[in-house]
């Protein structure tokens, strides 16, 4: 069986799905029809279909055939809304939204550690090795992995300068019900502004295994640095499989019901 031949089958079906030839739930041509159309064996046609199954583009049901997947990516609220909650408030915002989408086994695991700043973190937090005293090079790392139906769904890591987080609730491996920003306010720090960068990259093999990703599915990476004036208070990196998430940004005085209003928006619609 030739890898190139199964790729031809996969590419044809992928292009047809992208054009909108098949709507969510539509049945795709079977193995026998694809084998005849592309002059390959049924086994090769089956492998081509499995490529798209691994990508999340189709579902294969034993005895029934293959169907165009009904993509329902979850809205990730990338910016806080007035009176509402951001993506870091698990119980108040993220968890209920997942349950409304039909996911009921939703959990969150939090770990806290202390380490020296890696170059990437030092760059985001604009750390100078000659500043901030003997503990300036230390960073408190608050890791949060979110699981849906037992599988890793989203991974979020926040880095705080030790001088800010030491001996505070930020070092406790407990859920912060009011969110990180509220804890910082209680400590006397005000998040005046922040900047985000969002990009996509292919996962490492370890990441693909952790998220249960098939070939061809990239990760969305959202980086945020929050400042008080010119001083960076924290750096947060959120990693999300691109086929399961879509980021929602708002501007101006967005209403509290924005998340509900946008809940049926789907970038896979054509």
């Amino acid at each position: 069986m030739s890898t190139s031949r199964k790729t031809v089958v996969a590419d044809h079906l992928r292009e047809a799905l992208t054009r909108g030839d098949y709507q969510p739930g539509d049945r795709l041509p079977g193995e026998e029809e694809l084998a005849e159309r592309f002059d390959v064996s049924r086994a090769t046609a089956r492998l081509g279909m499995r490529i798209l199954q691994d990508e999340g583009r189709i579902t294969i049901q034993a005895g029934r055939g293959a169907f165009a997947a009904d993509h329902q990516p979850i809205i990730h609220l990338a910016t806080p809304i007035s009176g509402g909650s951001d993506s870091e408030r698990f119980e108040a915002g993220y968890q209920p939204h997942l349950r409304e989408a039909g996911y009921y086994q939703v959990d969150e695991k939090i770990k806290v550690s202390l380490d020296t700043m890696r170059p990437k973190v030092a760059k985001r937090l604009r750390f100078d090795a000659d500043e901030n005293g003997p503990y300036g090079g230390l960073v408190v790392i608050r890791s949060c992995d979110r699981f849906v139906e037992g599988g890793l769904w989203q991974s979020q890591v926040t880095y705080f300068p030790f001088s800010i987080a030491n001996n505070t609730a930020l070092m406790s491996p407990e859920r912060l019900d009011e969110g990180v920003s509220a804890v910082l306010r209680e400590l006397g720090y005000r998040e005046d502004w922040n900047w985000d960068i969002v990009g996509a990259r292919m996962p490492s093999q370890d990441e693909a295994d952790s998220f249960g990703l098939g070939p061809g599915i990239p990760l969305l990476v959202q980086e945020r640095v929050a400042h008080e004036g010119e001083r960076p208070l924290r750096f947060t990196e959120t990693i999300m499989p691109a086929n399961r998430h879509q980021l929602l940004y708002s501007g101006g005085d967005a209403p509290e019901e924005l998340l509900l209003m946008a809940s049926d928006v789907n970038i896979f619609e054509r």
Side-chain angles (χ1 to χ4, degrees):
M1 270 172 277
S2 169
T3 299
S4 61
R5 298 304 294 167
K6 72 178 182 183
T7 301
V8 168
V9 175
D11 289 346
H12 167 81
L13 289 175
R14 190 184 297 108
E15 291 172 5
L17 289 164
T18 300
R19 287 195 306 267
D21 294 352
Y22 301 98
Q23 298 302 309
D26 285 353
R27 184 171 181 171
L28 276 64
E31 295 173 7
E32 186 173 354
E33 181 179 343
L34 292 172
E36 182 177 349
R37 183 182 305 177
F38 295 103
D39 192 25
V40 297
S41 68
R42 290 187 61 173
T44 298
R46 185 181 310 119
L47 288 175
M49 298 176 77
R50 284 181 179 171
I51 291 175
L52 293 188
Q53 182 183 43
D54 288 341
E55 294 177 5
R57 303 297 298 270
I58 69 173
T59 58
I60 299 176
Q61 302 177 17
R64 296 192 58 208
F67 300 84
D70 187 2
H71 284 285
Q72 291 293 337
I74 295 299
I75 291 287
H76 172 85
L77 187 56
T79 51
I81 55 178
S82 177
S85 59
D86 62 21
S87 65
E88 294 155 359
R89 291 184 61 185
F90 183 70
E91 287 190 328
Y94 196 78
Q95 187 183 56
H97 187 50
L98 279 165
R99 287 179 172 164
E100 287 171 8
Y103 298 102
Y104 299 103
Q105 295 181 11
V106 184
D107 195 16
E108 184 179 56
K109 294 183 180 179
I110 298 170
K111 295 189 299 184
V112 176
S113 59
L114 185 66
D115 204 349
T116 55
M117 288 191 190
R118 295 185 290 112
K120 175 179 177 178
V121 178
K123 183 177 181 180
R124 304 302 190 270
L125 294 177
R126 295 192 298 147
F127 168 71
D128 186 328
D130 295 329
E131 297 178 353
N132 301 325
Y135 301 111
L138 291 177
V139 63
V140 173
I141 305 171
R142 188 176 180 86
S143 304
C144 172
D145 287 338
R146 289 162 175 170
F147 296 85
V148 175
E149 309 296 344
L152 182 61
W153 190 264
Q154 183 185 89
S155 181
Q156 189 173 78
V157 182
T158 301
Y159 303 86
F160 302 92
F162 182 80
S163 58
I164 290 177
N166 183 36
N167 291 324
T168 72
L170 298 172
M171 294 192 72
S172 170
E174 301 295 328
R175 182 174 298 139
L176 303 176
D177 292 335
E178 298 303 314
V180 166
S181 297
V183 173
L184 287 170
R185 284 195 301 273
E186 292 172 1
L187 296 173
Y189 300 100
R190 184 182 67 253
E191 293 189 352
D192 295 323
W193 61 281
N194 62 67
W195 58 260
D196 282 22
I197 288 181
V198 179
R201 63 172 174 81
M202 297 308 296
S204 66
Q205 188 58 56
D206 285 345
E207 288 173 325
D209 292 342
S210 296
F211 283 105
L213 301 179
I217 300 179
L219 294 172
L220 289 177
V221 181
Q222 177 194 18
E223 292 190 2
R224 170 174 296 170
V225 179
H227 292 73
E228 180 181 54
E230 295 184 359
R231 181 185 186 182
L233 299 179
R234 63 180 174 107
F235 162 46
T236 299
E237 181 180 56
T238 307
I239 299 176
M240 305 159 273
N243 64 330
R244 302 176 193 165
H245 297 82
Q246 49 191 5
L247 275 62
L248 173 62
Y249 283 83
S250 64
D253 190 15
E256 294 182 28
E257 61 270 20
L258 173 63
L259 191 60
L260 178 62
M261 293 165 58
S263 62
D264 63 346
V265 174
N266 189 330
I267 62 169
F268 290 99
E269 294 172 335
R270 296 190 62 82

